[in-house]
Amino acid sequence: MILKKRLSTTGYYVVSAAIAVVSMIPFLWMISTSLKTQGAVMTVPIQWIPEEPTLQAYVDVFTTFSFARTVANSLFIAVTYTGVTLLSSSMAAFAFTKIHFRGNDLLLKVYLATMMIPTQVTMIPLFVVMNRLGLINSYSSVIMPSLFRPFAVFMLVQQMRTIPQDFLDAARIDGANTFQVFRKVALPMCKPTLATLMVTTFMESWNDYLWPLLMLTDRSKMTLPIALATLTGQYNPQYALLMAGSLISMIPIIIIYIMAQRSFQYGMMAGGIKG
Amino acid sequence: MRRGKRHGGPGGDGLLRASPFLLPSLIGLMIFSLLPLLISVGISLTDWNGLDSIGAAGFFQEHFVGLDNYKSILTGREFWQVLKNTGTYIVLYIPGMLVMSLTVAFLLSRERRGVMVFRVIYYLPVLTSWVAASLIWTTMLSPQYGAVNNILSLFGIKGPGWLLDPKWAMPAIVLVSIWKDMGFFGLILLSGMVDINKSYYEAASLDGAGAWTKFLRITLPLMTPAIFYVLIVSLINAFQLFPQIMIMTDGGPYGATQVMVERIYKYGFRYFRMGYAAAFSWILFVIIMTCTAIQMKAQKRWVHYDS
């Protein structure tokens, strides 16, 4: 019995560690490559630990193109995008669940049904619309879609439905107006969902590729993923540079993920399946 | 939905109170969903090149081509090749991803020391952008200087040309996608796993069931709703494969990794055939809807909801 238990413990850690190694190898590779000289990248056998480690790629990445500007663009866009998503979605969810008006249910259904429309279908006409509005190469072109986030509305509707009406009524009796009820009662009770959405939305916006690719063609406006992707198209790709850039691009997400770990996992579980 | 009429009363007053809250989302709904949807139908019936002014008088008379775009897509060889490429991806990706994410979910569901560490590590690829992940893997898969073939050679295996070999390019994309997605789907499956009522396991233990029997007879059937969700989402994602293709292969070699969204993007924004691209996107939409509908229908046969 004890032997069997020990075997299963060993088995557990062997399998877990094997998957962990597979998950981690690309990141170790990224770090290792980012510390190499261009010559060392092209050597066989490969050097997992560079023989002459150098931080040159990290210096180069900031000097060959306006990398700092790109990081600033990405940060600005992701933060604004996330803020607008959380605000507009929670407002809509509040109206859908806590204010009674005719056509409420139907409107919610239409709104949520649009989740099924793939972005590719709307991509070309949206390009036309954005072009018409003169918004190509503007930050607003990549931030504005945050107004329309059916999935976020869906998650928040689920959460707001659990808030007892009595809470809201009590606040009303105390003289709060609709906006105050929303701010002081409804929003605080949605914290776990808001935290999850904050992480996932920030991540989506920060990592997004297709939409910024269409909208931001001006180098000074580009986000990190787009700028990184343009570097590969060059005749002689500088691998160390690309890896250094990739590594830097991951830092904010990892920080936010670790900070929000707890509520994030709770929210994933609450929202994941019912989706 | 239960809602007392006393809150806001029926009709006018409620709408008045609700509208400031709804306005931003409804503007978004119009601009980013309903309006483009309508325009997209229109564009797909034209031979618009993306440059001529679309609102100009006589635009539709001049550019209207009826269903020609749809016809030429469906009768051309390229579309079927693209469908076949996507099919290859799906056939390899879905089972691989499911096995890996089930394993991940199972490992993370055990209350063992260090499980939190594994949880963070398994989630790292999910946090990485597709651009960064594709860049890393492009260098890893380099036949000569890459990590993958060098690790394989330690075991005496001579690795293929991966992204440079038409036969191996799609399988390589699949491997990278599984690596990237298993943590995400693993966590969703995990939530389905921990929701299972513990008393089932206790009852099974009393009946003398072993761990494997319990997994097959209790865990797996009761996880079917979560598995169903994962299948729906992953199949939709599979049809929308894009960034990894653009960065790792750009559709090559010899068109072996050309897929729907990559084609739509190229037709629209590289070859300036917007009408053709729009028609392509509608065909994609129909395919996705059909697959989802079939899955929804079929779920009655295998998904068990624990009541």
Side-chain angles (χ1 to χ4, degrees), chain A residues 76-107:
Chain A
F76 172 71
I77 289 171
V79 168
T80 329
Y81 188 97
T82 309
V84 175
T85 297
L86 294 186
L87 190 64
S88 85
S89 307
S90 56
M91 276 162 56
F94 179 74
F96 280 131
T97 54
K98 297 299 172 201
I99 302 176
H100 184 70
F101 59 93
R102 201 170 292 160
N104 184 324
D105 282 353
L106 182 70
L107 194 59

Side-chain angles (χ1 to χ4, degrees), chain A residues 8-9 12-13 15-16 19-20 22-27 29-30 41-44 46 48 88 91-92 94-97 99-101 105 111 114 116-118 120-130 132 144-145 147-148 161 165 169 172 178-179 182 203 207 209-210 213-214 225 228 232 239 243 246 250 253-254 257 261 264-265 268-269 272-273 275, chain B residues 1 3 6-7 9-10 14-15 17-18 20-22 24-25 28-29 31-33 36-37 39-40 43 48 53-55 100 103 107 110 112-113 115-116 118-129 131-132 135-137 139-140 144-147 150-151 179 182 187-188 191 226 229 240 242-243 246-247 261 264-265 269 274 277-278 281-282 284-285:
Chain A
S8 90
T9 304
Y12 175 84
Y13 284 108
V15 178
S16 300
I19 298 180
V22 172
S23 298
M24 288 298 288
I25 279 183
F27 299 112
W29 175 258
M30 167 181 72
V41 171
M42 303 284 188
T43 50
V44 182
I46 53 173
W48 279 97
S88 85
M91 276 162 56
F94 179 74
F96 280 131
T97 54
I99 302 176
H100 184 70
F101 59 93
D105 282 353
Y111 197 84
T114 55
M116 286 191 291
I117 302 166
Q120 293 78 38
V121 172
T122 50
M123 159 174 103
I124 288 164
L126 254 185
F127 182 82
V128 177
V129 173
M130 287 307 195
R132 272 268 142 152
M144 269 171 66
L147 288 176
F148 172 65
R161 277 190 181 144
Q165 189 67 42
D169 289 346
R172 299 229 105 191
T178 312
F179 188 75
F182 167 70
M203 204 168 102
N207 290 343
Y209 178 64
L210 179 57
L213 177 70
L214 296 180
L228 278 178
T232 51
Y239 290 117
M243 294 301 106
S246 301
M250 291 177 61
I253 301 283
I254 290 176
Y257 175 70
Q261 246 266 332
F264 180 63
Q265 261 147 18
M268 272 275 289
M269 290 179 185
I273 298 308
Chain B
M1 205 190 307
R3 194 169 29 228
R6 65 206 155 97
H7 312 293
L15 190 59
R17 284 202 298 131
F21 288 92
L22 287 173
S25 293
L29 176 72
I31 300 183
F32 292 101
S33 190
L37 208 60
I39 301 177
S40 175
I43 294 178
W48 185 45
S53 178
I54 194 170
M100 285 313 294
T103 312
L107 293 172
R110 306 287 98 173
R112 299 258 190 182
R113 195 175 297 167
V115 74
M116 277 314 283
F118 289 127
R119 200 173 182 144
V120 171
I121 292 178
Y122 297 165
Y123 214 67
L124 272 181
V126 183
L127 298 175
T128 314
S129 72
V131 171
L135 291 176
I136 298 170
W137 278 97
T139 63
M140 294 253 300
Q144 210 181 343
Y145 307 112
N150 275 277
I151 293 171
W179 168 83
M182 66 184 180
L187 227 58
I188 288 177
S191 63
Y229 175 76
Q240 302 186 348
F242 183 67
M246 287 299 284
I247 292 161
V261 181
I264 296 171
Y265 174 78
F269 300 101
M274 291 283 186
S281 72
W282 276 101
L284 170 65
F285 187 21

Side-chain angles (χ1 to χ4, degrees), chain B residues 98-178:
Chain B
L98 208 56
V99 168
M100 285 313 294
S101 46
L102 270 171
T103 312
V104 163
F106 182 75
L107 293 172
L108 294 181
S109 71
R110 306 287 98 173
E111 279 155 15
R112 299 258 190 182
R113 195 175 297 167
V115 74
M116 277 314 283
V117 177
F118 289 127
R119 200 173 182 144
V120 171
I121 292 178
Y122 297 165
Y123 214 67
L124 272 181
V126 183
L127 298 175
T128 314
S129 72
W130 256 121
V131 171
S134 307
L135 291 176
I136 298 170
W137 278 97
T138 308
T139 63
M140 294 253 300
L141 289 168
S142 155
Q144 210 181 343
Y145 307 112
V148 176
N149 279 1
N150 275 277
I151 293 171
L152 286 178
S153 71
L154 295 180
F155 299 96
I157 303 167
K158 193 183 175 308
W162 297 113
L163 301 170
L164 306 176
D165 181 338
K167 251 200 253 125
W168 283 95
M170 196 51 109
I173 301 268
V174 170
L175 282 179
V176 179
S177 305
I178 293 175

Side-chain angles (χ1 to χ4, degrees), chain B residues 42 51 56 64 81 103 196 199 206 211 228 235 244 248 295 297 302:
Chain B
L51 303 172
F64 185 79
Q81 183 59 44
T103 312
I196 296 171
S199 61
L206 287 179
F228 175 64
L235 194 68
Q244 59 268 57
M248 291 170 72
Q295 280 179 299
K297 269 254 147 119
W302 65 277

Side-chain angles (χ1 to χ4, degrees), chain B:
Chain B
M1 205 190 307
R2 279 170 289 121
R3 194 169 29 228
K5 291 252 167 176
R6 65 206 155 97
H7 312 293
D13 175 36
L15 190 59
L16 204 67
R17 284 202 298 131
S19 48
F21 288 92
L22 287 173
L23 203 61
S25 293
L26 292 186
I27 292 174
L29 176 72
M30 285 308 291
I31 300 183
F32 292 101
S33 190
L34 301 184
L35 187 66
L37 208 60
L38 279 176
I39 301 177
S40 175
V41 180
I43 294 178
S44 78
L45 304 173
T46 67
D47 63 357
W48 185 45
N49 60 11
L51 303 172
D52 300 343
S53 178
I54 194 170
F59 174 82
F60 270 98
Q61 284 89 320
E62 197 183 327
H63 291 279
F64 185 79
V65 294
L67 294 174
D68 281 4
N69 287 327
Y70 293 92
K71 266 185 226 153
S72 78
I73 291 169
L74 293 173
T75 52
R77 276 188 59 198
E78 186 189 66
F79 172 74
W80 302 101
Q81 183 59 44
V82 165
L83 211 56
K84 201 180 134 209
N85 293 342
T86 311
T88 309
Y89 177 83
I90 289 171
V91 167
L92 295 173
Y93 169 78
I94 302 253
M97 179 277 296
L98 208 56
V99 168
M100 285 313 294
S101 46
L102 270 171
T103 312
V104 163
F106 182 75
L107 293 172
L108 294 181
S109 71
R110 306 287 98 173
E111 279 155 15
R112 299 258 190 182
R113 195 175 297 167
V115 74
M116 277 314 283
V117 177
F118 289 127
R119 200 173 182 144
V120 171
I121 292 178
Y122 297 165
Y123 214 67
L124 272 181
V126 183
L127 298 175
T128 314
S129 72
W130 256 121
V131 171
S134 307
L135 291 176
I136 298 170
W137 278 97
T138 308
T139 63
M140 294 253 300
L141 289 168
S142 155
Q144 210 181 343
Y145 307 112
V148 176
N149 279 1
N150 275 277
I151 293 171
L152 286 178
S153 71
L154 295 180
F155 299 96
I157 303 167
K158 193 183 175 308
W162 297 113
L163 301 170
L164 306 176
D165 181 338
K167 251 200 253 125
W168 283 95
M170 196 51 109
I173 301 268
V174 170
L175 282 179
V176 179
S177 305
I178 293 175
W179 168 83
K180 176 101 167 62
D181 293 343
M182 66 184 180
F184 178 75
F185 290 121
L187 227 58
I188 288 177
L189 291 175
L190 173 67
S191 63
M193 216 176 253
V194 296
D195 278 348
I196 296 171
N197 195 329
K198 295 279 173 291
S199 61
Y200 292 129
Y201 294 106
E202 282 152 21
S205 294
L206 287 179
D207 290 346
W212 184 239
T213 318
K214 277 191 252 177
F215 180 76
L216 277 186
R217 294 293 169 82
I218 302 172
T219 314
L220 221 46
L222 290 176
M223 276 182 71
T224 45
I227 296 175
F228 175 64
Y229 175 76
V230 167
L231 281 180
I232 292 257
V233 173
S234 59
L235 194 68
I236 292 176
N237 287 350
F239 279 109
Q240 302 186 348
L241 194 63
F242 183 67
Q244 59 268 57
I245 298 278
M246 287 299 284
I247 292 161
M248 291 170 72
T249 62
D250 200 23
Y254 305 108
T257 57
Q258 285 180 345
V259 290
M260 301 267 185
V261 181
E262 178 261 349
R263 291 286 87 198
I264 296 171
Y265 174 78
K266 295 247 174 89
Y267 276 116
F269 300 101
R270 293 236 181 119
Y271 316 146
F272 300 108
R273 294 176 64 187
M274 291 283 186
Y276 196 80
F280 221 121
S281 72
W282 276 101
I283 293 175
L284 170 65
F285 187 21
V286 170
I287 294 175
I288 292 179
M289 287 303 274
T290 313
C291 286
T292 309
I294 292 172
Q295 280 179 299
M296 290 283 187
K297 269 254 147 119
Q299 68 160 316
K300 286 183 208 112
R301 290 169 180 236
W302 65 277
V303 180
H304 303 270
Y305 289 98
D306 183 25
S307 48

